[in-house]
Amino acid sequence: MIGLISATAAGAAARDRLAAAWPDRTRVYEGPVGEAVRSAFAECEQLVCFLATGATVRLLAPLLSDKAADPGVVCVDEGGRFAVSLVGGHGGGANELAREVGGLLGAEPVVTTATDAVGLAGLDTLGLPCEGAVAAVSRALLDGEPVALDVESTWPLPPLPVSPRGSYTIRLTDRDVEPGEREVLLRPPSLVVGVGASKGAPVAEVLGLIEETLREAGLSPRSVAELATVDAKSKEPGILGAAERLGVPVVTYSAEELAAVEVPNPSAAPLAAVGTPSVAEAAALLGGGELLVPKRKSDAAPAMATCAVVRRAGRGRLAVVGLGPGARDLLTPRATAELRRASVLVGLDQYVDQIRDLLRPGTRVLESGLGAEEERARTAVEQARLGHAVALIGSGDAGVYAMASPALAEASDDIEVIGVPGVTAALAAAAILGAPLGHDHVSISLSDLHTPWEVIERRVRAAAEADLVVTFYNPRSRGRDWQLPHALGILAEHRAPTTPVGVVRNASRPDGSSRVTTLTGLDPASVDMMTVVTVGNTATRTVAGRMVTPRGYRWQNGPGEQPEETR
């Protein structure tokens, strides 16, 4: 919950805007400001104070105790010009909250955390438990000193400006080791503990067995991702209690699923009790991985708990990101977040240039020229299979005439795939033209490099006969100058010569241009590969210079009537 505190009418107005936008996330604290701050600090995970920073600092000072536990605090000035991350930038999430508040209120987010200010991923913001010399290693990264990355367990990390060798080290490990003086340990959630338990097994026995097993195997409990067991034990208090103490979820499988897993130590006892010859080993192994600790029993007499430990390799991550039509303000926040998360970026060189300034230091860029789509797709998948966090970029929406199809054709279920939608050229052009896509519509590429012209022509004829609005991608190039006139001729067989046609080049970009003409008035020679051409259907009209396709075939001024064309 986010506590909201204000002292003036202007602050209360901004406060109420935030409360209205986030009704489920916020709570307004009325009354004397000092009392409101103290109450919100004790009850909320984050605070937004519509107060002067000096006043906020004085009110907060007696309340602060531990940056890992204190709420994150954002301060918004009286004029609503700035949203200042004041306390708990990383641990309390104040840096991100300042950006969110700023975006909502039109205020400039002010983030002074050193790593955030220069675009570095903070070691305590990677989503992994970390321990050791976080401040010293972060300072070394900021100062450009060589910091080595020692990866003992593969995991998809965000970009870090690391070197092959260095006097400082970031070590990714699930082993139970102590960090060195100039070292940070990152704990990947790579360990799965399979657990079996008799009915009524005490929490202390289950938890004690797990902790002792991990300790003797030299494994860190901070790398335990989950406890796994059979469905029949999903409500067993001892297992649930142990999971709660460890701060991990309980994952359950059916007896049939577990019985199909080959294990080194099957037993008749669980087979008779729950229908599978193995619970602990099978549950740990079901998702794949290396069996580090075979089944072992607790020391109690009689033993009421068993466990086994498996290490799972981190799955690589492939984000297929649509960059939109080119304008920076049409690049979605989700796309920006994925670009900053990726340690490897794969893309067409001209698209990489569009967003290079958004990449974090340490991002490895693999770029290539036109015509290498399949090679880029294979490269992106290969990098993800090596355990990296990869972003594969395309213009518009990456799933529309772009990189998602070839990439997903290469990808199997051994990597995680995330699709990030983008604003397509057709949508960007439509917004400029007016509302040409107000009814059913279709996009057709006129490039016959990948599709035989016979197939393209059949699709154009089908769209013409179905009276669909048509947006043509890749309409004309130097080597393909006859396809667009031919396609327009097919549409002309079913539509009037005065049918509106919109032509948009470089939609949303500074050098963009647009015009509305007609089916017979369009000169194909004025069109190139940077252009999209939108041809209206029989109901599309030009109204005040804009293309408009009604949502229905009846215009509002009466059945069977059509509005006079206004130019």
Side-chain angles (χ1 to χ4, degrees):
M1 188 62 66
I2 303 171
L4 306 181
I5 301 102
S6 62
T8 66
R15 175 203 69 191
D16 291 344
R17 285 175 59 194
L18 210 59
W22 297 339
D24 298 327
R25 297 178 60 190
T26 57
R27 180 188 303 160
V28 174
Y29 284 79
E30 304 277 10
V33 171
E35 182 179 330
V37 168
R38 287 190 292 273
S39 297
F41 194 90
E43 298 169 358
C44 298
E45 291 82 19
Q46 295 176 318
L47 281 69
V48 178
C49 298
F50 296 85
L51 308 167
T53 53
T56 307
V57 168
R58 293 180 186 279
L59 291 169
L60 290 174
L63 308 176
L64 299 174
S65 60
D66 182 354
K67 72 174 186 178
D70 290 337
V73 181
V74 170
C75 193
V76 179
D77 68 291
E78 179 76 2
R81 295 176 300 167
F82 303 103
V84 182
S85 174
L86 195 63
V87 173
H90 284 168
N95 291 351
E96 183 57 34
L97 181 60
R99 297 185 183 100
E100 287 188 86
V101 170
L104 188 63
L105 300 181
E108 181 71 24
V110 179
V111 176
T112 58
T113 307
T115 50
D116 289 59
V118 299
L120 281 175
L123 297 177
D124 54 351
T125 67
L126 301 182
L128 303 178
C130 66
E131 54 196 85
V134 175
V137 174
S138 296
R139 191 178 307 112
L141 290 170
L142 288 167
D143 291 343
E145 296 187 45
V147 177
L149 177 62
D150 181 2
V151 178
E152 295 181 5
S153 300
T154 302
W155 211 261
L157 291 174
L160 295 167
V162 293
S163 306
R165 297 180 183 81
S167 54
Y168 295 85
T169 305
I170 301 169
R171 180 156 42 141
L172 186 76
T173 180
D174 57 18
R175 294 189 299 115
D176 188 17
V177 293
E178 292 295 322
E181 183 180 349
R182 294 186 168 192
E183 184 176 57
V184 168
L185 300 182
L186 298 178
R187 301 296 191 184
S190 55
L191 303 178
V192 177
V193 180
V195 182
S198 301
K199 184 178 177 64
V203 173
E205 182 174 344
V206 178
L207 181 62
L209 172 63
I210 294 170
E211 291 178 335
E212 182 182 357
T213 299
L214 293 171
R215 184 169 55 252
E216 291 183 1
L219 300 170
S220 171
R222 302 191 77 185
S223 281
V224 175
E226 63 191 44
L227 301 189
T229 191
V230 66
D231 283 347
K233 300 297 179 181
S234 62
K235 304 296 185 183
E236 190 62 47
I239 295 176
L240 297 177
E244 183 178 4
R245 297 278 289 276
L246 291 167
V248 299
V250 175
V251 177
T252 64
Y253 302 100
S254 68
E256 290 77 15
E257 289 176 297
L258 297 182
V261 179
E262 186 175 339
V263 298
N265 299 293
S267 172
L271 179 61
V274 294
T276 172
S278 173
V279 173
E281 288 180 341
L285 284 167
L286 189 57
E290 175 190 3
L291 183 64
L292 300 180
V293 182
K295 180 183 72 175
R296 60 175 292 180
K297 297 180 180 180
S298 58
D299 294 332
M304 299 184 72
T306 61
C307 79
V309 183
V310 162
R311 175 185 286 141
R312 291 181 185 169
R315 296 175 74 204
R317 190 175 190 278
L318 173 61
V320 188
V321 180
L323 300 180
R328 179 56 60 84
D329 59 353
L330 293 182
L331 178 70
T332 67
R334 187 179 300 181
T336 301
E338 289 294 346
L339 294 174
R340 295 177 66 78
R341 175 173 180 165
S343 61
V344 179
L345 182 84
V346 182
L348 179 67
D349 47 14
Q350 63 190 52
Y351 297 154
V352 172
D353 290 340
Q354 289 180 25
I355 48 83
R356 199 183 295 271
D357 63 301
L358 296 178
L359 304 180
R360 290 190 186 275
T363 304
R364 186 156 51 96
V365 177
L366 304 177
E367 54 189 311
S368 53
L370 287 167
E373 289 84 0
E374 293 182 357
E375 178 187 341
R376 284 195 291 275
R378 283 194 295 270
T379 297
V381 172
E382 288 168 0
Q383 289 296 315
R385 284 186 175 138
L386 292 174
H388 299 302
V390 182
L392 174 62
I393 59 173
S395 66
D397 183 288
V400 180
Y401 303 123
M403 295 305 302
S405 294
L408 269 61
E410 294 282 340
S412 52
D413 61 2
D414 58 343
I415 62 174
E416 182 183 5
V417 177
I418 295 91
V420 182
V423 178
T424 66
L427 295 179
I432 293 169
L433 294 171
L437 308 183
H439 207 296
D440 296 338
H441 54 275
V442 64
S443 295
I444 299 176
S445 171
L446 294 183
S447 172
D448 54 3
L449 293 177
H450 300 287
T451 307
W453 175 253
E454 293 77 13
V455 175
I456 298 173
E457 181 174 344
R458 188 164 67 247
R459 292 171 180 171
V460 174
R461 289 192 182 280
E465 293 171 1
D467 199 28
L468 297 172
V469 175
V470 181
T471 297
F472 288 122
Y473 278 72
N474 306 313
R476 184 178 182 275
S477 67
R478 292 179 181 178
R480 294 185 301 100
D481 57 3
W482 60 269
Q483 286 90 341
L484 178 59
H486 192 79
L488 295 174
I490 294 172
L491 293 177
E493 296 173 10
H494 299 269
R495 301 179 194 184
T498 55
T499 299
V501 176
V503 181
V504 180
R505 187 178 190 278
N506 283 337
S508 84
R509 300 186 186 188
D511 60 344
S513 62
S514 67
R515 66 186 187 279
V516 177
T517 180
T518 63
L519 195 53
T520 55
L522 175 61
D523 178 11
S526 65
V527 173
D528 61 13
M529 285 289 286
M530 306 304 293
T531 306
V532 291
V533 177
T534 300
V535 182
N537 66 11
T538 57
T540 305
R541 296 292 181 267
T542 302
V543 181
R546 306 180 188 94
M547 282 181 72
V548 179
T549 302
R551 293 182 63 186
Y553 275 63
R554 294 192 181 97
W555 288 78
Q556 292 182 352
N557 54 332
E561 298 181 18
Q562 295 177 343
E564 293 183 2
E565 188 172 313
T566 304
R567 297 191 182 276

